[in-house]
Amino acid sequence: MCSSRKSPPATGRPLSIAGRAAIGLIWLYRHSLSLFMGRGCRYAPSCSDYTEQAIRRFGFWAGGWIGLARILRCNPWGASGFDPLPETLPDDAHWLLPWRYGRWSGRHIPPEHRLDR
């Protein structure tokens, strides 16, 4: 079997048009504004990497909310350190309650992985 298409995301479904557009905007940010703002991110992986991974794994809607939560907690009063993408969506997540997708504080990061303490 010969396939000339790119392999689908980890979820087995192709990216939506909105997901492709969001990843395109992330690419533009990385190659324009990010160069002027500096590369000092409080988290590893960076917020743009994290958001792109979330959109690829969970789709535009859920991944976008997960990425938004990460971006909003990347502030001087927020946590820092190693914060990988969750393997699965939270049990209480529902598309009508999209704020439940995100981790809005840094309490889930183990103390040994934090840099702010």
Side-chain angles (χ1 to χ4, degrees):
M1 182 169 115
C2 181
S3 175
S4 61
R5 295 185 304 174
K6 288 184 178 180
S7 61
T11 59
R13 61 180 177 207
L15 242 90
S16 67
I17 294 172
R20 289 175 192 244
I23 289 173
L25 290 173
I26 291 169
W27 186 90
L28 282 174
Y29 163 76
R30 284 184 189 152
H31 292 88
S32 61
L33 188 59
S34 175
L35 299 173
F36 296 108
M37 292 177 58
R39 298 265 184 192
C41 190
R42 299 176 56 84
Y43 291 101
S46 69
C47 294
S48 59
D49 288 337
Y50 186 90
T51 303
E52 180 181 351
Q53 290 174 19
I55 291 170
R56 288 187 185 279
R57 183 177 296 171
F58 301 117
F60 174 70
W61 184 250
W65 280 95
I66 292 169
L68 177 65
R70 168 70 174 281
I71 291 166
L72 290 178
R73 68 182 143 95
C74 189
N75 62 65
W77 302 278
S80 63
F82 180 64
D83 179 26
L85 191 66
E87 292 296 321
T88 60
L89 293 174
D91 293 334
D92 64 343
H94 190 272
W95 73 272
L96 281 174
L97 306 170
W99 53 88
R100 291 186 179 174
Y101 289 119
R103 296 172 172 171
W104 299 93
S105 70
R107 289 181 293 215
H108 66 281
I109 302 172
E112 62 270 12
H113 293 170
R114 293 182 74 150
L115 300 175
D116 59 340
R117 292 186 183 211

